[in-house]
Amino acid sequence: MIPAPTYLQFHLVFSLPVLAALWYLAPRHVGRRRRRAAAGIAVLVAIAYAYTTPWISYMIRRGAWSYADGAVVVRALSVPLGEYLYFAIQTLVVAFALHRLGFDPTFRDSDFDRLPRAAGVLAGVAMLGGGLWLASRDASLLYLGGVIAWVGPVLALQWAVGGGYLARTPRTWLAATLLPAGYFWIVDRIAIGMGTWRIAEEFTTGIAILGLPIEEMIFFFAAGLMAVNGLVLFEWVLDWNDRGTAAGSPAEEADADTRLVPEPGDD
């Protein structure tokens, strides 16, 4: 019997090659756009580690998923090294895919419309409450409820900040979320089939598509969605700040003062 590949071997075969390909295909921004893109990616990777590690650690300790004997080399807080690598790899894959597809972070006044922002906040809060309720209702709903509750607060915050922008650019963030998620669905199914990791039946609903538990599909979509929204909003906020700074620059203020001085002959 062929032993299951280790987590690091999985990355070498399935994760790192696609990451390298997307890095190669990603546009080479220059100047300020390049600096902002790099800063946004760095910030999102840091947030991914800070926000995801406690949740992943809890789910692993509960037994929602486990790993084949010998598949894990090092653990920290019950989380394998391979999972920590996944946090950065998935964020980078999503980021390079987003920049390859392209997006416009230009701020518009309508981006601060209250309706989409309020709707997004309500949806995120509902996801948090609903997810926690599901997870506490039955063991088979732990993973499903946990992932819904995990993503809810982030989506609420993102839509509170830039709900108007996200509402007018759905093609951007949906495409950049679905394409990487589709790839991760495929390789995740392969890893499960090879036995590198296992999803516990007692903590899942049993609903699967082509052998991939629906909870795993939601996880990869949700993680990608949070990353995409974070990346586009990072540059959108900076563009909004640029416009506010330009509007309040000394030159603008001087022009405004000049316009307030009465011309000779004015009453």
Side-chain angles (χ1 to χ4, degrees):
M1 182 176 179
I2 300 175
T6 68
Y7 211 145
L8 296 182
Q9 288 172 335
F10 170 84
H11 282 313
L12 287 173
V13 174
F14 294 108
S15 300
L16 296 179
V18 73
L19 176 60
L22 285 172
W23 173 81
Y24 178 77
L25 294 173
R28 298 298 186 257
H29 298 306
V30 296
R32 182 171 64 176
R33 184 70 194 277
R34 180 185 180 90
R35 293 191 296 272
R36 289 185 170 183
I41 293 172
V43 169
L44 262 293
V45 169
I47 292 174
Y49 278 101
Y51 188 68
T52 306
T53 297
W55 181 76
I56 291 284
S57 177
Y58 171 77
M59 297 297 286
I60 291 175
R61 285 185 280 107
R62 283 293 306 270
W65 58 84
S66 58
Y67 306 89
D69 293 338
V72 174
V73 179
V74 178
R75 290 178 186 257
L77 301 176
S78 302
V79 181
L81 173 62
E83 290 284 359
Y84 286 115
L85 293 176
Y86 227 141
F87 300 165
I89 289 171
Q90 185 179 14
T91 304
L92 291 171
V93 165
V94 168
F96 292 148
L98 171 66
H99 284 280
R100 182 69 182 91
L101 293 169
F103 69 99
D104 180 8
T106 302
F107 169 80
R108 297 180 186 175
D109 291 338
S110 61
D111 291 345
F112 281 152
D113 287 350
R114 292 182 179 179
L115 181 58
R117 296 168 71 194
V121 171
L122 289 175
V125 172
M127 291 174 67
L128 173 60
L132 292 175
W133 177 76
L134 286 174
S136 64
R137 185 182 178 191
D138 188 82
S140 65
L141 298 172
L142 174 66
Y143 192 175
L144 178 62
V147 72
I148 292 174
W150 171 65
V151 70
V154 176
L155 292 184
L157 177 60
Q158 290 175 335
W159 279 79
V161 173
Y165 173 78
L166 294 174
R168 71 173 172 85
T169 58
R171 291 184 180 181
T172 296
W173 49 265
L174 278 175
T177 298
L178 284 170
L179 291 176
Y183 177 77
F184 284 117
W185 291 339
I186 294 171
V187 298
D188 183 44
R189 177 64 183 88
I190 293 172
I192 292 173
M194 293 188 301
T196 301
W197 53 78
R198 310 180 189 93
I199 309 301
E201 294 182 0
E202 63 268 32
F203 294 121
T204 54
T205 60
I207 301 172
I209 297 177
L210 299 177
L212 182 63
I214 191 68
E215 292 86 354
E216 287 283 271
M217 298 185 70
I218 293 173
F219 169 77
F220 285 110
F221 177 82
L225 179 62
M226 291 189 293
V228 169
N229 286 354
L231 290 166
V232 297
L233 288 176
F234 181 84
E235 294 197 38
W236 171 82
V237 166
L238 292 178
D239 185 74
W240 168 73
N241 182 70
D242 289 344
R243 293 169 185 272
T245 301
S249 65
E252 291 285 342
E253 293 175 358
D255 289 342
D257 292 342
T258 300
R259 287 192 293 271
L260 292 175
V261 176
E263 294 292 335
D266 286 349
D267 292 333

